[in-house]
Protein backbone atom coordinates (compact mmCIF):
# COMPACT_ATOMS: atom_id res chain seq x y z
CA UNK A 1 0.00 0.00 0.00
CA UNK A 2 1.32 3.42 -0.95
CA UNK A 3 1.14 5.91 1.94
CA UNK A 4 0.98 9.51 0.81
CA UNK A 5 0.99 12.67 2.92
CA UNK A 6 -0.58 15.76 1.36
CA UNK A 7 -0.42 19.27 2.82
CA UNK A 8 -3.51 21.34 2.07
CA UNK A 9 -2.71 25.05 1.76
CA UNK A 10 -6.35 26.17 1.74
CA UNK A 11 -9.37 25.44 3.94
CA UNK A 12 -10.18 22.28 1.96
CA UNK A 13 -9.61 20.47 -1.34
CA UNK A 14 -12.19 18.55 -3.35
CA UNK A 15 -11.80 14.77 -3.42
CA UNK A 16 -11.24 14.53 -7.18
CA UNK A 17 -8.54 17.19 -7.01
CA UNK A 18 -6.87 15.42 -4.09
CA UNK A 19 -6.65 12.16 -6.02
CA UNK A 20 -4.95 13.99 -8.90
CA UNK A 21 -2.65 15.99 -6.61
CA UNK A 22 -1.55 12.79 -4.81
CA UNK A 23 -0.85 11.14 -8.19
CA UNK A 24 -3.38 8.37 -7.64
CA UNK A 25 -4.92 9.31 -11.01
CA UNK A 26 -3.67 11.52 -13.82
CA UNK A 27 -6.98 12.95 -15.07
CA UNK A 28 -10.24 14.11 -13.57
CA UNK A 29 -12.14 11.53 -15.63
CA UNK A 30 -10.16 8.77 -13.90
CA UNK A 31 -11.00 10.24 -10.50
CA UNK A 32 -14.68 10.42 -11.45
CA UNK A 33 -14.72 6.75 -12.48
CA UNK A 34 -12.79 5.63 -9.40
CA UNK A 35 -15.14 7.46 -7.04
CA UNK A 36 -18.36 6.39 -8.81
CA UNK A 37 -17.26 2.74 -8.69
CA UNK A 38 -17.13 2.99 -4.86
CA UNK A 39 -13.37 2.49 -4.63
CA UNK A 40 -12.69 5.52 -2.42
CA UNK A 41 -13.23 5.81 1.33
CA UNK A 42 -12.98 9.00 3.35
CA UNK A 43 -12.38 8.41 7.06
CA UNK A 44 -13.56 4.82 6.57
CA UNK A 45 -16.80 5.62 4.71
CA UNK A 46 -17.35 5.02 0.99
CA UNK A 47 -17.84 8.31 -0.86
CA UNK A 48 -19.52 8.58 -4.26
CA UNK A 49 -19.20 12.33 -4.87
CA UNK A 50 -16.13 13.81 -6.58
CA UNK A 51 -16.77 17.25 -5.04
CA UNK A 52 -16.61 16.03 -1.43
CA UNK A 53 -14.65 18.57 0.62
CA UNK A 54 -11.51 17.14 2.19
CA UNK A 55 -10.09 19.04 5.17
CA UNK A 56 -6.70 18.72 6.89
CA UNK A 57 -6.58 15.62 9.11
CA UNK A 58 -8.71 13.53 6.74
CA UNK A 59 -7.72 10.00 5.76
CA UNK A 60 -8.52 8.82 2.23
CA UNK A 61 -8.21 5.24 0.97
CA UNK A 62 -8.37 4.44 -2.75
CA UNK A 63 -8.12 1.21 -4.72
CA UNK A 64 -7.12 1.79 -8.35
CA UNK A 65 -5.73 -0.72 -10.88
CA UNK A 66 -5.28 -3.29 -8.07
CA UNK A 67 -3.07 -0.83 -6.17
CA UNK A 68 -3.99 0.54 -2.75
CA UNK A 69 -3.37 4.16 -1.77
CA UNK A 70 -3.65 5.69 1.69
CA UNK A 71 -3.65 9.49 1.73
CA UNK A 72 -3.34 11.49 4.96
CA UNK A 73 -4.00 15.21 4.68
CA UNK A 74 -2.41 17.80 6.92
Amino acid sequence: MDKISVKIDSEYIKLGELLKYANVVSQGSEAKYLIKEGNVKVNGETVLERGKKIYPGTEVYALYNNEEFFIKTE
Side-chain angles (χ1 to χ4, degrees):
M1 176 183 305
D2 288 346
K3 294 184 180 181
I4 305 163
S5 181
V6 174
K7 181 166 175 44
I8 299 174
D9 293 326
S10 58
E11 182 183 354
Y12 65 87
I13 187 172
K14 292 183 180 176
L15 180 57
E17 295 171 0
L18 175 68
L19 294 173
K20 287 192 302 184
Y21 185 73
N23 292 317
V24 174
V25 297
S26 59
Q27 299 177 12
S29 59
E30 290 175 317
K32 181 180 178 180
Y33 173 79
L34 180 64
I35 295 164
K36 291 217 176 240
E37 289 295 309
N39 292 323
V40 178
K41 292 184 179 186
V42 175
N43 291 332
E45 294 185 24
T46 301
V47 174
L48 300 175
E49 56 187 282
R50 186 170 52 163
K52 170 87 174 158
K53 293 178 182 176
I54 305 298
Y55 296 93
T58 302
E59 296 177 345
V60 177
Y61 167 84
L63 177 63
Y64 188 53
N65 289 336
N66 294 320
E67 192 171 350
E68 296 179 36
F69 298 89
F70 179 76
I71 306 165
K72 175 75 174 171
T73 59
E74 49 183 79

